[in-house]
Amino acid sequence: AFVMHLLDRGKQRENSLLIELPEFKAPSARTIAIYVWEKVKDYLTKAGTTIFVASIIMWVLLNFGLSGYSQDMGNTFGSLIGRCIVPFFTPIGLGFWQIVVALIAGISAKEVVVSSTAVLFGVSSITSTEGMASLMSALSAIGFGPLNAYCLMTFSLLYVPCAATLATIKKETGSWKWVGLTAVFQIAVAWVITFAVYHIGLLFVWGGAMGTVFTALLLALLAAAVYFAGRSIRRRKGCGGHCAGCSGCPNRPSQGEKR
């Protein structure tokens, strides 16, 4: 957004929109009660049903496996899915099946990521000092360091929103297509940003050729993306009355017109 602002800040805009505000009056208690009830009922009947179904699906994935009900999350369908998609998370520093399963559980609510991680590593009391120390030692044992922790925080912040948000998107748009597009888009954004964080971090952690190559490649891709995005915006908005007859421009004057 900041880059787009820099590309577009030289263009002056005139805002001639005038809105006449109505007279404000304090609503009655009956009006407030009716309004609140209508909104709550609408949420429970539309978004609430989607949240309920999503919660059941997550509960089944994280509590049942090939052998039926299992108290060990490592033997559930969720762990099988996590192990299958570990290669997708490896380039961003999250190539651990326990972390992947915790992220799957986080679809129900982002707060569940931490508690699910503790359960998967056998930590009973994550809120205590001993529990935190036990979790840190377990993570260190599998090679999960500070840089991986930063990547996990970044990905958790940006990836698929919670089930309640997805249900609200379904309610507002009335289409599962937009729900899927939103989820895919946010996963893609989270993956790209986390990829940048991880490989730039490797440059400082390793200081070797591998980190330098990945960082240079990433910066080149970002520069190319910004360049082509700015070029596309300029073409769509025209030349502001100063057409230079650029090749391929839809506003290019014909040969008989004066420039």
Side-chain angles (χ1 to χ4, degrees):
F2 177 72
V3 174
M4 294 299 103
H5 169 71
L6 293 179
L7 293 173
D8 200 41
R9 66 179 179 178
K11 200 171 184 66
Q12 296 182 352
R13 292 188 177 89
E14 294 183 1
N15 188 359
S16 58
L17 177 63
L18 296 177
I19 300 178
E20 183 178 354
L21 297 177
E23 182 182 356
F24 290 98
K25 296 181 179 180
S28 63
R30 180 175 180 275
T31 302
I32 295 175
I34 293 175
Y35 180 80
V36 171
W37 168 245
E38 290 294 331
K39 293 298 182 181
V40 171
K41 184 177 69 172
D42 184 60
Y43 178 81
L44 293 176
T45 55
K46 294 183 178 180
T49 54
T50 305
I51 296 173
F52 179 70
V53 172
S55 301
I56 291 178
I57 293 175
M58 295 304 302
W59 180 76
V60 171
L61 288 177
L62 299 176
N63 290 276
F64 287 86
L66 297 176
S67 58
Y69 179 78
S70 175
Q71 295 183 346
D72 184 4
M73 199 179 294
N75 297 324
T76 61
F77 292 118
S79 67
L80 295 177
I81 297 174
R83 289 184 173 92
C84 291
I85 61 178
V86 159
F88 175 79
F89 289 91
T90 300
I92 60 176
L94 302 177
F96 310 92
W97 72 266
Q98 297 94 332
I99 301 299
V100 177
V101 174
L103 289 172
I104 294 175
I107 296 176
S108 59
K110 295 294 182 71
E111 300 82 3
V112 180
V113 174
V114 176
S115 59
S116 298
T117 303
V119 171
L120 288 164
F121 283 98
V123 179
S124 57
S125 180
I126 187 61
T127 56
S128 63
T129 304
E130 295 77 8
M132 288 295 296
S134 177
L135 180 61
M136 290 177 61
S137 62
L139 291 172
S140 300
I142 64 172
F144 190 92
L147 179 57
N148 303 97
Y150 279 113
C151 293
L152 178 60
M153 288 189 291
T154 303
F155 192 86
S156 298
L157 178 68
L158 299 173
Y159 86 121
V160 180
C162 64
T165 304
L166 295 175
T168 303
I169 295 174
K170 170 62 172 61
K171 183 181 81 71
E172 295 294 333
T173 62
S175 171
W176 285 106
K177 175 184 176 181
W178 281 107
V179 175
L181 288 175
T182 301
V184 171
F185 174 76
Q186 292 201 231
I187 290 175
V189 170
W191 196 95
V192 171
I193 299 300
T194 309
F195 181 89
V197 172
Y198 181 59
H199 289 284
I200 291 176
L202 288 180
L203 177 63
F204 294 98
V205 173
W206 288 353
M210 184 65 69
T212 304
V213 169
F214 276 115
T215 303
L217 178 61
L218 176 64
L219 293 177
L221 290 174
L222 289 176
V226 172
Y227 170 76
F228 285 111
R231 186 177 178 183
S232 176
I233 290 175
R234 289 195 182 96
R235 283 187 174 182
R236 286 199 300 268
K237 292 186 176 180
C239 304
H242 305 284
C243 183
C246 302
S247 176
C249 178
N251 299 323
R252 183 181 184 183
S254 60
Q255 294 182 355
E257 296 177 352
K258 183 179 179 180
R259 292 183 181 177

